[in-house]
Amino acid sequence: MSKKMLCSKCKTETATLILPRDQSKVCRECFFHIVEDSVHRAIVDHKLFTSGDILAVGASGGKDSTTLIHILHVLNEKYEYGADLHMVSIDEGIKGYRDESLDAVRRNQKKYGWPLTIVSFKDMFGYSLDTIVKLLGPKRACTHCGIFRRQALEVGAKKISATKIVLGHNANDYAETTLLNLIRGDLSRLKRGSTIITDSGYGPARIKPFKYVYQEEIVKYAFLKKLDYHSVECPYAVNAQRGLPRVYLNQLDRVASWSVLGFIKSNEQLQINEKKKKKLIANKCIKCGFLTSQKLCQGCVLRQKLDDSFSQLTIKLEEVEMEEVEEYVDEKEKENNFKKERIYEKEKVKVKINEKVKEIQKEKEKEFEKEKN
Ligand SMILES: Nc1ncnc2c1ncn2[C@@H]1O[C@H](COP(=O)(O)OP(=O)(O)OP(=O)(O)O)[C@@H](O)[C@H]1O
């Protein structure tokens, strides 16, 4: 902004920022107030939670959830909501990415003084996401991650008896989801994806107080408030299906900043023909008890497939340590300077793991013999 101009809200301070949602020119303090007020309005108008609610805020260490934690902290004191605030983090097991973002979560835990619970994929499902990618290739990373993370967050929330799970999905995420479901022609998901509260009736409801806050507003807010977050993209995100809608919305946003909210509002007013809606029957998974419309939940189906893939790759799995196999593959990857894609060629990995498994087995047998003697 080159010319000195007064803030369009308070009319007294100099405008230093452009508000992404309507391109109005505002001062710093008014900008903070507008963003915080959008969150407050969402909480109050949609009755997202009330005094005494135990909130499990999904803390990934990224900019959205870090900003959400900061704003909830500010608003809970300012408006005396009386909510009991906790952080729940999921460690998917992505080396060089999640471990670093969890460091940011721990620093924020100290700063805000909220209790932190961490649930890891490895502990809960037996596989880290890195291992899943090694077994199945990178294309299925996001599907597995999405389903497992959902269940892991629920388990984390149950551990602290949370009444609500709070997530940092913002207005751009909502608009992207709307567009994605329109492209797919998935009308049931289209409507379900537009709600600010998702409540299946089983387990804590999921609430999203950033529904009306633009991505760019969160980035500006976090930057100006000097919040401590991890800004690196997930290495597997390149495989996400949201790429196209995201690019399209970004382009649209440059010429029509209202389009993000436009998508959200349109979806909210949309009436889906009842006949087109898929009837979802709520069952409990026969294996783990999670909510599902089938006999087995999606998490258990994926887990079964992973177990099958893994048992195909190893001989007498129970006799070897999973970590030793993982370390071996990592070593080989570095040693031979394999390109990423090559390591996913299952057949080659299979042979190498089998060789290593045999080696480890022999070593174990020898150790066992020694111990006996
Ligand atoms: N590993 C995780 N642990 C806990 N919560 C998570 C985790 N990953 C995502 N979430 C929650 O889900 C929300 C949406 O996540 P998603 O990955 O779609 O978006 P994001 O833009 O990368 O979010 P963020 O900037 O907070 O990482 C996050 O804001 C957070 O509340």
mmCIF file of all heavy atoms in Angstrom, residues 58-66 68 88-92 98 149 153 166-169 173 215, ligand 1:
data_model
loop_
_atom_site.group_PDB
_atom_site.id
_atom_site.type_symbol
_atom_site.label_atom_id
_atom_site.label_comp_id
_atom_site.label_asym_id
_atom_site.label_seq_id
_atom_site.Cartn_x
_atom_site.Cartn_y
_atom_site.Cartn_z
ATOM 1 N N GLY A 58 -6.826 -30.241 17.973
ATOM 2 C CA GLY A 58 -5.873 -30.981 17.140
ATOM 3 C C GLY A 58 -4.675 -30.098 16.850
ATOM 4 O O GLY A 58 -4.781 -29.142 16.092
ATOM 5 N N ALA A 59 -3.531 -30.414 17.471
ATOM 6 C CA ALA A 59 -2.340 -29.560 17.342
ATOM 7 C C ALA A 59 -1.311 -30.250 16.459
ATOM 8 O O ALA A 59 -0.684 -31.218 16.877
ATOM 9 C CB ALA A 59 -1.758 -29.285 18.720
ATOM 10 N N SER A 60 -1.165 -29.754 15.227
ATOM 11 C CA SER A 60 -0.197 -30.371 14.318
ATOM 12 C C SER A 60 1.130 -29.635 14.328
ATOM 13 O O SER A 60 2.109 -30.123 13.784
ATOM 14 C CB SER A 60 -0.764 -30.343 12.889
ATOM 15 O OG SER A 60 -0.850 -28.994 12.461
ATOM 16 N N GLY A 61 1.144 -28.435 14.912
ATOM 17 C CA GLY A 61 2.365 -27.612 14.870
ATOM 18 C C GLY A 61 2.392 -26.729 13.641
ATOM 19 O O GLY A 61 3.260 -25.871 13.509
ATOM 20 N N GLY A 62 1.444 -26.927 12.714
ATOM 21 C CA GLY A 62 1.357 -26.106 11.497
ATOM 22 C C GLY A 62 0.704 -24.760 11.793
ATOM 23 O O GLY A 62 0.248 -24.511 12.910
ATOM 24 N N LYS A 63 0.642 -23.920 10.765
ATOM 25 C CA LYS A 63 0.165 -22.537 11.011
ATOM 26 C C LYS A 63 -1.304 -22.470 11.432
ATOM 27 O O LYS A 63 -1.658 -21.663 12.293
ATOM 28 C CB LYS A 63 0.436 -21.630 9.804
ATOM 29 C CG LYS A 63 -0.386 -22.056 8.652
ATOM 30 C CD LYS A 63 -0.265 -21.229 7.454
ATOM 31 C CE LYS A 63 -1.071 -21.866 6.345
ATOM 32 N NZ LYS A 63 -1.494 -23.259 6.468
ATOM 33 N N ASP A 64 -2.170 -23.303 10.856
ATOM 34 C CA ASP A 64 -3.595 -23.200 11.167
ATOM 35 C C ASP A 64 -3.874 -23.571 12.630
ATOM 36 O O ASP A 64 -4.500 -22.804 13.354
ATOM 37 C CB ASP A 64 -4.420 -24.117 10.251
ATOM 38 C CG ASP A 64 -4.381 -23.643 8.814
ATOM 39 O OD1 ASP A 64 -4.133 -22.448 8.602
ATOM 40 O OD2 ASP A 64 -4.577 -24.456 7.904
ATOM 41 N N SER A 65 -3.403 -24.751 13.033
ATOM 42 C CA SER A 65 -3.739 -25.158 14.406
ATOM 43 C C SER A 65 -2.983 -24.317 15.428
ATOM 44 O O SER A 65 -3.511 -24.051 16.513
ATOM 45 C CB SER A 65 -3.501 -26.647 14.620
ATOM 46 O OG SER A 65 -2.239 -27.032 14.212
ATOM 47 N N THR A 66 -1.773 -23.838 15.086
ATOM 48 C CA THR A 66 -1.039 -22.991 16.038
ATOM 49 C C THR A 66 -1.781 -21.663 16.231
ATOM 50 O O THR A 66 -1.932 -21.179 17.354
ATOM 51 C CB THR A 66 0.402 -22.730 15.530
ATOM 52 O OG1 THR A 66 1.025 -23.989 15.310
ATOM 53 C CG2 THR A 66 1.208 -21.932 16.519
ATOM 54 N N LEU A 68 -4.972 -21.214 15.700
ATOM 55 C CA LEU A 68 -6.225 -21.539 16.382
ATOM 56 C C LEU A 68 -6.006 -21.622 17.896
ATOM 57 O O LEU A 68 -6.797 -21.086 18.685
ATOM 58 C CB LEU A 68 -6.761 -22.874 15.845
ATOM 59 C CG LEU A 68 -8.059 -23.383 16.454
ATOM 60 C CD1 LEU A 68 -9.212 -22.437 16.146
ATOM 61 C CD2 LEU A 68 -8.408 -24.772 15.914
ATOM 62 N N VAL A 88 -4.137 -32.135 21.462
ATOM 63 C CA VAL A 88 -3.937 -33.548 21.123
ATOM 64 C C VAL A 88 -3.183 -33.597 19.801
ATOM 65 O O VAL A 88 -3.609 -32.985 18.816
ATOM 66 C CB VAL A 88 -5.285 -34.314 21.005
ATOM 67 C CG1 VAL A 88 -5.051 -35.737 20.506
ATOM 68 C CG2 VAL A 88 -6.003 -34.357 22.343
ATOM 69 N N SER A 89 -2.035 -34.255 19.799
ATOM 70 C CA SER A 89 -1.233 -34.336 18.574
ATOM 71 C C SER A 89 -1.121 -35.775 18.108
ATOM 72 O O SER A 89 -0.994 -36.691 18.920
ATOM 73 C CB SER A 89 0.184 -33.809 18.826
ATOM 74 O OG SER A 89 0.134 -32.444 19.084
ATOM 75 N N ILE A 90 -1.157 -35.934 16.792
ATOM 76 C CA ILE A 90 -0.990 -37.264 16.217
ATOM 77 C C ILE A 90 0.378 -37.319 15.554
ATOM 78 O O ILE A 90 0.701 -36.487 14.703
ATOM 79 C CB ILE A 90 -2.087 -37.562 15.165
ATOM 80 C CG1 ILE A 90 -3.491 -37.274 15.758
ATOM 81 C CG2 ILE A 90 -1.984 -38.992 14.653
ATOM 82 C CD1 ILE A 90 -3.810 -37.936 17.074
ATOM 83 N N ASP A 91 1.156 -38.315 15.976
ATOM 84 C CA ASP A 91 2.467 -38.510 15.357
ATOM 85 C C ASP A 91 2.298 -39.593 14.294
ATOM 86 O O ASP A 91 2.262 -40.782 14.601
ATOM 87 C CB ASP A 91 3.472 -38.931 16.439
ATOM 88 C CG ASP A 91 4.864 -39.095 15.869
ATOM 89 O OD1 ASP A 91 5.021 -38.929 14.641
ATOM 90 O OD2 ASP A 91 5.785 -39.396 16.648
ATOM 91 N N GLU A 92 2.195 -39.162 13.048
ATOM 92 C CA GLU A 92 1.969 -40.124 11.954
ATOM 93 C C GLU A 92 3.223 -40.940 11.665
ATOM 94 O O GLU A 92 3.145 -41.983 11.022
ATOM 95 C CB GLU A 92 1.537 -39.412 10.666
ATOM 96 C CG GLU A 92 0.247 -38.623 10.753
ATOM 97 C CD GLU A 92 0.491 -37.157 11.099
ATOM 98 O OE1 GLU A 92 1.604 -36.838 11.577
ATOM 99 O OE2 GLU A 92 -0.419 -36.342 10.894
ATOM 100 N N ARG A 98 7.152 -34.626 10.762
ATOM 101 C CA ARG A 98 6.283 -34.558 11.939
ATOM 102 C C ARG A 98 7.093 -34.398 13.228
ATOM 103 O O ARG A 98 6.642 -33.728 14.159
ATOM 104 C CB ARG A 98 5.371 -35.790 12.002
ATOM 105 C CG ARG A 98 4.342 -35.736 13.080
ATOM 106 C CD ARG A 98 3.486 -34.466 13.053
ATOM 107 N NE ARG A 98 2.402 -34.509 12.095
ATOM 108 C CZ ARG A 98 1.882 -33.424 11.507
ATOM 109 N NH1 ARG A 98 2.349 -32.222 11.780
ATOM 110 N NH2 ARG A 98 0.908 -33.525 10.636
ATOM 111 N N ARG A 149 -5.674 -40.862 11.025
ATOM 112 C CA ARG A 149 -5.571 -39.668 11.871
ATOM 113 C C ARG A 149 -6.910 -39.362 12.556
ATOM 114 O O ARG A 149 -6.961 -38.992 13.715
ATOM 115 C CB ARG A 149 -5.115 -38.481 11.035
ATOM 116 C CG ARG A 149 -4.691 -37.300 11.899
ATOM 117 C CD ARG A 149 -3.865 -36.355 11.127
ATOM 118 N NE ARG A 149 -4.679 -35.667 10.158
ATOM 119 C CZ ARG A 149 -4.182 -34.965 9.145
ATOM 120 N NH1 ARG A 149 -2.900 -34.896 8.964
ATOM 121 N NH2 ARG A 149 -4.974 -34.350 8.311
ATOM 122 N N LEU A 153 -7.184 -39.260 16.510
ATOM 123 C CA LEU A 153 -7.639 -38.053 17.225
ATOM 124 C C LEU A 153 -8.762 -38.410 18.193
ATOM 125 O O LEU A 153 -8.827 -37.894 19.308
ATOM 126 C CB LEU A 153 -8.154 -37.013 16.224
ATOM 127 C CG LEU A 153 -7.141 -35.966 15.759
ATOM 128 C CD1 LEU A 153 -7.675 -35.172 14.582
ATOM 129 C CD2 LEU A 153 -6.734 -35.016 16.883
ATOM 130 N N VAL A 166 -11.506 -30.056 18.335
ATOM 131 C CA VAL A 166 -11.470 -28.779 17.606
ATOM 132 C C VAL A 166 -10.390 -28.849 16.528
ATOM 133 O O VAL A 166 -9.243 -29.223 16.809
ATOM 134 C CB VAL A 166 -11.146 -27.602 18.561
ATOM 135 C CG1 VAL A 166 -11.448 -26.273 17.883
ATOM 136 C CG2 VAL A 166 -11.912 -27.719 19.865
ATOM 137 N N LEU A 167 -10.770 -28.506 15.293
ATOM 138 C CA LEU A 167 -9.814 -28.619 14.183
ATOM 139 C C LEU A 167 -9.630 -27.272 13.486
ATOM 140 O O LEU A 167 -10.518 -26.422 13.489
ATOM 141 C CB LEU A 167 -10.327 -29.653 13.168
ATOM 142 C CG LEU A 167 -10.514 -31.062 13.734
ATOM 143 C CD1 LEU A 167 -11.269 -31.943 12.764
ATOM 144 C CD2 LEU A 167 -9.169 -31.687 14.102
ATOM 145 N N GLY A 168 -8.458 -27.114 12.856
ATOM 146 C CA GLY A 168 -8.104 -25.817 12.256
ATOM 147 C C GLY A 168 -8.469 -25.667 10.785
ATOM 148 O O GLY A 168 -7.821 -24.896 10.082
ATOM 149 N N HIS A 169 -9.486 -26.383 10.305
ATOM 150 C CA HIS A 169 -9.894 -26.222 8.903
ATOM 151 C C HIS A 169 -10.390 -24.797 8.680
ATOM 152 O O HIS A 169 -11.217 -24.303 9.444
ATOM 153 C CB HIS A 169 -11.012 -27.208 8.545
ATOM 154 C CG HIS A 169 -10.565 -28.626 8.611
ATOM 155 N ND1 HIS A 169 -9.902 -29.240 7.584
ATOM 156 C CD2 HIS A 169 -10.661 -29.540 9.594
ATOM 157 C CE1 HIS A 169 -9.620 -30.482 7.930
ATOM 158 N NE2 HIS A 169 -10.068 -30.689 9.147
ATOM 159 N N ASP A 173 -10.131 -24.308 3.009
ATOM 160 C CA ASP A 173 -10.299 -25.770 3.060
ATOM 161 C C ASP A 173 -11.742 -26.146 2.737
ATOM 162 O O ASP A 173 -12.004 -27.096 1.990
ATOM 163 C CB ASP A 173 -9.946 -26.323 4.456
ATOM 164 C CG ASP A 173 -8.483 -26.121 4.813
ATOM 165 O OD1 ASP A 173 -7.649 -26.174 3.895
ATOM 166 O OD2 ASP A 173 -8.184 -25.889 6.000
ATOM 167 N N GLN A 215 -7.499 -18.439 4.613
ATOM 168 C CA GLN A 215 -6.133 -18.961 4.782
ATOM 169 C C GLN A 215 -5.112 -17.814 4.897
ATOM 170 O O GLN A 215 -4.241 -17.806 5.764
ATOM 171 C CB GLN A 215 -5.826 -19.790 3.535
ATOM 172 C CG GLN A 215 -4.395 -20.238 3.390
ATOM 173 C CD GLN A 215 -4.279 -21.698 3.662
ATOM 174 O OE1 GLN A 215 -4.967 -22.500 3.062
ATOM 175 N NE2 GLN A 215 -3.425 -22.016 4.575
HETATM 176 N N1 LIG B 1 -0.828 -34.553 13.202
HETATM 177 C C1 LIG B 1 -1.877 -33.897 13.670
HETATM 178 N N2 LIG B 1 -2.122 -33.885 14.998
HETATM 179 C C2 LIG B 1 -3.196 -33.235 15.499
HETATM 180 N N3 LIG B 1 -4.073 -32.550 14.751
HETATM 181 C C3 LIG B 1 -3.867 -32.516 13.432
HETATM 182 C C4 LIG B 1 -2.768 -33.182 12.818
HETATM 183 N N4 LIG B 1 -2.822 -32.950 11.494
HETATM 184 C C5 LIG B 1 -3.904 -32.179 11.289
HETATM 185 N N5 LIG B 1 -4.542 -31.918 12.442
HETATM 186 C C6 LIG B 1 -5.750 -31.101 12.657
HETATM 187 O O1 LIG B 1 -6.527 -31.088 11.471
HETATM 188 C C7 LIG B 1 -6.572 -29.754 10.941
HETATM 189 C C8 LIG B 1 -6.544 -29.795 9.421
HETATM 190 O O2 LIG B 1 -5.359 -30.420 9.030
HETATM 191 P P1 LIG B 1 -4.805 -30.351 7.550
HETATM 192 O O3 LIG B 1 -3.587 -31.178 7.495
HETATM 193 O O4 LIG B 1 -5.910 -30.625 6.626
HETATM 194 O O5 LIG B 1 -4.523 -28.792 7.347
HETATM 195 P P2 LIG B 1 -3.239 -27.867 7.565
HETATM 196 O O6 LIG B 1 -3.559 -26.637 6.813
HETATM 197 O O7 LIG B 1 -1.960 -28.534 7.231
HETATM 198 O O8 LIG B 1 -3.304 -27.550 9.143
HETATM 199 P P3 LIG B 1 -2.109 -27.033 10.054
HETATM 200 O O9 LIG B 1 -1.587 -25.768 9.423
HETATM 201 O O10 LIG B 1 -2.743 -26.812 11.400
HETATM 202 O O11 LIG B 1 -1.086 -28.141 10.061
HETATM 203 C C9 LIG B 1 -5.374 -29.038 11.559
HETATM 204 O O12 LIG B 1 -5.526 -27.639 11.600
HETATM 205 C C10 LIG B 1 -5.345 -29.657 12.943
HETATM 206 O O13 LIG B 1 -6.291 -29.073 13.810
#
